[in-house]
Amino acid sequence: MDPKRLIADAKSIVVLTGAGISAESGIPTFRGAGGLWRQFRPEDLATPGAFARDPKLVWEWYDWRRELVAQAQPNAGHKALVAIAAGKEAFTLITQNVDDLHERAGSQNVLHVHGSIFAEPCTRCGHRYSALKEHRCAACGSLTRPGVVWFGEMPPEDVWAMAETAVRNAGLLLVVGTSAQVYPAAGLIDLARASGSKVIEVNPDQTPFSHAVDISERGPAGEVLPRWVEGI
Ligand code: OAD
Ligand code: ZN
């Protein structure tokens, strides 16, 4: 099966991305060589309990990551997905990434199942802000939190419902740059297979799904994806 052909012929495509698609933009992934979870413990930084214990530490970490994202630029992988979307009857981009590189590359209606690093809801009144410096709610004075989904939390219901519906109706799921170890996001791959859609994976390394997908393409997203859109 030729991936380029599959992509060109599919009427309805869903893409699921993970940290790997932003790796070539200089944003560290979580697992694997150079991954954030090699350097930091998720239970100290990315759980509701961690934030309750030490909000200052958690905010310092997210402020640092905001800075990394702000300095990064979308890469050829992000851009190729914009080209793949063009001309499709239905196209949905689901990302586990909290960065905004898909949007800055030109993708629209991105479903952020793990939230956004620039979103900042108040922990008390729920008012939503965008990237404050002081992390205090102007309406009620309470502490704000990063607008991301932490371990032990579930994706926003509306976003998740849209993601599931899109996957159920997809003819083709493209899985790019995710270790596919974090649920429920990784479950979308099984859902696609159960719904009868073809699945193509792009990753330099093997994942738990590599043997279950129709095509497992080993390589960096910024090299593989542009090859598949050449001439379309
Ligand atoms: P991971 O860091 O777990 O996995 C990144 C994947 O990208 C790995 O499988 C790498 O092999 C692959 N990769 C590395 N460079 C790549 C490249 N240039 N092109 C394509 N793939 C590449 O990141 P996610 O799967 O996104 O959640 O992690 C899922 C969730 O776990 C994250 O959203 C985050 C994390 O903990 C929370 O913080 C709650
Ligand atoms: Zn408030």
Side-chain angles (χ1 to χ4, degrees), residues 123-196:
T123 53
R124 181 143 162 244
C125 74
H127 192 95
R128 290 182 80 84
Y129 299 92
S130 176
L132 300 175
K133 286 229 157 49
E134 292 303 324
H135 310 313
R136 285 278 157 196
C137 176
C140 79
S142 294
L143 191 63
T144 54
R145 59 162 281 176
V148 303
V149 176
W150 280 325
F151 289 103
E153 296 181 324
M154 290 304 285
E157 268 176 41
D158 50 343
V159 175
W160 184 252
M162 286 189 274
E164 275 192 337
T165 303
V167 168
R168 278 207 184 88
N169 297 314
L172 174 64
L173 176 71
L174 206 53
V175 181
V176 184
T178 176
S179 62
Q181 291 180 37
V182 174
Y183 284 80
L188 292 172
I189 304 170
D190 279 327
L191 180 61
R193 297 180 61 236
S195 310

Side-chain angles (χ1 to χ4, degrees), residues 187-204:
L188 292 172
I189 304 170
D190 279 327
L191 180 61
R193 297 180 61 236
S195 310
S197 83
K198 294 262 183 274
V199 181
I200 302 178
E201 173 185 72
V202 180
N203 199 309

Side-chain angles (χ1 to χ4, degrees), residues 47-55 58 143 150:
T47 68
F51 189 68
R53 277 192 303 275
D54 196 344
V58 171
L143 191 63
W150 280 325

Side-chain angles (χ1 to χ4, degrees), residues 17-40:
T17 65
I21 196 165
S22 295
E24 289 157 271
S25 295
I27 299 178
T29 61
F30 295 94
R31 296 167 187 80
L36 292 168
W37 297 150
R38 292 261 173 110
Q39 204 183 339
F40 305 102

